[in-house]
Amino acid sequence: MPKDISHLSDGELLARVQLMSGTVTSSPVDFGLSVEEAGELGNELQIYTLALNEWNIIQDEYDSKFQAKKAAREALIAKVRAQTKLIKAQPNVTAAQLEAAGIDAPDTVKTASPSPTSAPIGWVDYGKLKHTIYFRDSMTPDSEAKPKGTLGCEIFRSIGNSPPASEADFAYVATDTASPYTTFYQMADAGKTAYFLLRWKSKNGDVGEWSDVIQATING
């Protein structure tokens, strides 16, 4: 129990003072008090007990009214949502009517996805006749998140013994929506080198800049 009685709750304070008052009043002289002084503590305790009882009654009424208000609010919100859904489903209700009723009109204009402004960075994990390609955005290399509005990463590849001369020498492999992507090879490709180019593609079809060329030996 805390030594400072100011830190006690109302119930704890009441119980502690009731114990003190009852003990001291039964034999005030033993505690160095007069009968009158012991009675003063009892009087203050009685005043506090009456005030606490009145407060508890008010608190109970408050809690009851708060719960009633909360239930009424939830019921009102549910009714508003139901009728809003019903109203918006009516084909003849105009945007002006919705606005007049304080209802948000549905957004019929689709927001275009932003065009990619960065390039992916990638690395390859080797396996037997397979490569697992990991990619992230060059602007946020510590995050696995794609750039906003991005559909996925386009993966292009060229297989040979020397680096391709231009982007035209790379063939499209796939558009992967989440890293990593695994590609497989035939035994005839063992020992050759796979060269990869990556770029972001947005949801509206726009593409970003090419990544640096990534190369990996095909293990047989």
Side-chain angles (χ1 to χ4, degrees):
M1 185 178 293
K3 294 182 180 180
D4 187 351
I5 60 174
S6 66
H7 294 163
L8 299 176
S9 67
D10 287 334
E12 291 170 337
L13 177 61
L14 180 63
R16 182 165 177 177
V17 178
Q18 283 176 334
L19 175 63
M20 176 179 174
S21 178
T23 303
V24 171
T25 302
S26 66
S27 182
V29 177
D30 292 341
F31 292 93
L33 299 176
S34 66
V35 173
E36 291 76 13
E37 289 172 330
E40 289 174 358
L41 178 61
N43 292 336
E44 294 297 338
L45 175 60
Q46 184 177 15
I47 294 172
Y48 175 72
T49 301
L50 291 174
L52 182 59
N53 289 338
E54 291 179 355
W55 166 247
N56 287 336
I57 292 173
I58 295 174
Q59 188 71 39
D60 290 342
E61 292 178 350
Y62 170 84
D63 291 342
S64 176
K65 292 183 182 298
F66 175 79
Q67 293 300 326
K69 187 271 294 183
K70 180 180 178 182
R73 175 186 172 88
E74 292 174 350
L76 175 62
I77 290 174
K79 181 61 66 176
V80 168
R81 287 174 173 167
Q83 291 200 359
T84 297
K85 184 177 180 180
L86 181 64
I87 291 171
K88 285 186 173 182
Q90 304 305 312
N92 296 327
V93 177
T94 65
Q97 288 176 302
L98 293 175
E99 182 178 358
I103 300 173
D104 293 332
D107 187 4
T108 57
V109 179
K110 294 184 177 180
T111 302
S113 299
S115 299
T117 58
S118 59
I121 55 174
W123 62 98
V124 176
D125 186 17
Y126 293 75
K128 183 177 181 180
L129 295 177
K130 72 174 184 179
H131 286 147
T132 300
I133 305 161
Y134 294 83
F135 52 86
R136 292 186 177 182
D137 186 51
S138 58
M139 300 296 292
T140 55
D142 295 329
S143 171
E144 294 182 359
K146 303 189 299 287
K148 184 178 180 180
T150 298
L151 172 65
C153 178
E154 286 192 335
I155 301 172
F156 290 75
R157 181 184 62 194
S158 177
I159 300 174
N161 295 314
S162 59
S166 68
E167 290 86 352
D169 295 326
F170 287 82
Y172 172 79
V173 176
T175 299
D176 193 24
T177 58
S179 177
Y181 177 82
T182 300
T183 183
F184 298 88
Y185 302 93
Q186 300 297 320
M187 184 59 72
D189 295 320
K192 297 180 181 178
T193 301
Y195 301 88
F196 296 96
L197 276 179
L198 313 177
R199 66 182 179 184
W200 295 120
K201 184 175 183 179
S202 71
K203 294 177 182 178
N204 61 13
D206 292 340
V207 294
E209 298 178 356
W210 290 111
S211 68
D212 292 334
V213 175
I214 307 162
Q215 67 180 62
T217 302
I218 301 171
N219 292 332

PDB file of all heavy atoms in Angstrom, residues 27 43 83 105 135 137 159:
ATOM      1  N   SER A  27      -9.703   3.660  21.240  1.00  0.00           N
ATOM      2  CA  SER A  27      -8.788   3.951  22.352  1.00  0.00           C
ATOM      3  C   SER A  27      -7.895   5.120  21.974  1.00  0.00           C
ATOM      4  O   SER A  27      -6.689   4.963  21.735  1.00  0.00           O
ATOM      5  CB  SER A  27      -7.943   2.716  22.681  1.00  0.00           C
ATOM      6  OG  SER A  27      -7.092   2.961  23.790  1.00  0.00           O
ATOM      7  N   ASN A  43     -15.767  12.480  11.898  1.00  0.00           N
ATOM      8  CA  ASN A  43     -16.683  13.405  11.221  1.00  0.00           C
ATOM      9  C   ASN A  43     -16.272  13.639   9.768  1.00  0.00           C
ATOM     10  O   ASN A  43     -17.111  13.635   8.862  1.00  0.00           O
ATOM     11  CB  ASN A  43     -16.726  14.751  11.974  1.00  0.00           C
ATOM     12  CG  ASN A  43     -17.381  14.633  13.339  1.00  0.00           C
ATOM     13  OD1 ASN A  43     -18.187  13.719  13.573  1.00  0.00           O
ATOM     14  ND2 ASN A  43     -17.040  15.541  14.246  1.00  0.00           N
ATOM     15  N   GLN A  83     -28.853   3.340 -45.864  1.00  0.00           N
ATOM     16  CA  GLN A  83     -29.651   4.177 -46.766  1.00  0.00           C
ATOM     17  C   GLN A  83     -28.773   4.860 -47.817  1.00  0.00           C
ATOM     18  O   GLN A  83     -29.212   5.068 -48.952  1.00  0.00           O
ATOM     19  CB  GLN A  83     -30.434   5.208 -45.960  1.00  0.00           C
ATOM     20  CG  GLN A  83     -31.537   4.591 -45.125  1.00  0.00           C
ATOM     21  CD  GLN A  83     -32.606   5.582 -44.722  1.00  0.00           C
ATOM     22  OE1 GLN A  83     -32.539   6.772 -45.053  1.00  0.00           O
ATOM     23  NE2 GLN A  83     -33.613   5.094 -44.009  1.00  0.00           N
ATOM     24  N   ALA A 105     -20.638  11.870 -53.805  1.00  0.00           N
ATOM     25  CA  ALA A 105     -20.935  11.230 -55.088  1.00  0.00           C
ATOM     26  C   ALA A 105     -19.814  10.253 -55.424  1.00  0.00           C
ATOM     27  O   ALA A 105     -18.644  10.494 -55.095  1.00  0.00           O
ATOM     28  CB  ALA A 105     -21.066  12.276 -56.189  1.00  0.00           C
ATOM     29  N   PHE A 135      14.575  -8.761 -57.390  1.00  0.00           N
ATOM     30  CA  PHE A 135      14.635  -7.366 -57.840  1.00  0.00           C
ATOM     31  C   PHE A 135      14.018  -6.432 -56.805  1.00  0.00           C
ATOM     32  O   PHE A 135      13.106  -6.815 -56.065  1.00  0.00           O
ATOM     33  CB  PHE A 135      13.935  -7.198 -59.196  1.00  0.00           C
ATOM     34  CG  PHE A 135      12.536  -7.748 -59.249  1.00  0.00           C
ATOM     35  CD1 PHE A 135      11.447  -6.986 -58.852  1.00  0.00           C
ATOM     36  CD2 PHE A 135      12.305  -9.038 -59.716  1.00  0.00           C
ATOM     37  CE1 PHE A 135      10.155  -7.498 -58.910  1.00  0.00           C
ATOM     38  CE2 PHE A 135      11.013  -9.557 -59.775  1.00  0.00           C
ATOM     39  CZ  PHE A 135       9.944  -8.782 -59.375  1.00  0.00           C
ATOM     40  N   ASP A 137      13.573  -1.800 -56.144  1.00  0.00           N
ATOM     41  CA  ASP A 137      13.661  -0.504 -56.813  1.00  0.00           C
ATOM     42  C   ASP A 137      14.971   0.181 -56.442  1.00  0.00           C
ATOM     43  O   ASP A 137      15.398   0.154 -55.278  1.00  0.00           O
ATOM     44  CB  ASP A 137      12.475   0.380 -56.413  1.00  0.00           C
ATOM     45  CG  ASP A 137      12.447   1.664 -57.203  1.00  0.00           C
ATOM     46  OD1 ASP A 137      12.518   1.598 -58.444  1.00  0.00           O
ATOM     47  OD2 ASP A 137      12.369   2.744 -56.598  1.00  0.00           O
ATOM     48  N   ILE A 159      20.587 -15.337 -74.112  1.00  0.00           N
ATOM     49  CA  ILE A 159      21.466 -16.457 -73.748  1.00  0.00           C
ATOM     50  C   ILE A 159      22.557 -16.587 -74.806  1.00  0.00           C
ATOM     51  O   ILE A 159      22.271 -16.639 -76.007  1.00  0.00           O
ATOM     52  CB  ILE A 159      20.677 -17.779 -73.644  1.00  0.00           C
ATOM     53  CG1 ILE A 159      19.584 -17.667 -72.581  1.00  0.00           C
ATOM     54  CG2 ILE A 159      21.606 -18.938 -73.325  1.00  0.00           C
ATOM     55  CD1 ILE A 159      18.682 -18.882 -72.514  1.00  0.00           C
TER      56      ILE A 159
END
